Amino acid sequence: MSTVGQGAKEIRIRDAAGTFRVIYVAKFADAVYVLHCFQKKTEKTSKADLDLASKRYRDLLKELGQ
């Protein structure tokens, strides 16, 4: 998910309730950080969901001093 940030990945989950996405980053030694998770209602991931994950990624980098 380079649109969110370097090293960001996604997990796709499908079950009877629908389709879900988890956007996370695991490139730091101390933890795996979940940036955003949501239920997908359309084929394409919305700009709002991508923007929120990107903002959280940038905030995480600031917090970690990177």
Side-chain angles (χ1 to χ4, degrees):
M1 299 231 42
S2 61
T3 56
V4 171
Q6 184 180 6
K9 305 283 186 193
E10 76 173 331
I11 297 173
R12 299 174 183 187
I13 303 162
R14 290 187 185 105
D15 71 4
T19 302
F20 301 86
R21 295 286 187 271
V22 178
I23 301 174
Y24 69 96
V25 62
K27 72 177 194 171
F28 304 107
D30 60 335
V32 173
Y33 295 93
V34 175
L35 303 173
H36 188 40
C37 54
F38 55 97
Q39 183 174 10
K40 290 220 18 161
K41 306 231 180 197
T42 63
E43 186 72 24
K44 188 174 179 182
T45 302
S46 76
K47 182 173 177 355
D49 286 317
L50 292 173
D51 288 347
L52 180 58
S54 296
K55 180 188 180 319
R56 290 177 177 169
Y57 183 86
R58 289 190 308 273
D59 291 346
L60 175 63
L61 291 179
K62 285 180 190 175
E63 186 177 315
L64 297 175
Q66 299 199 9

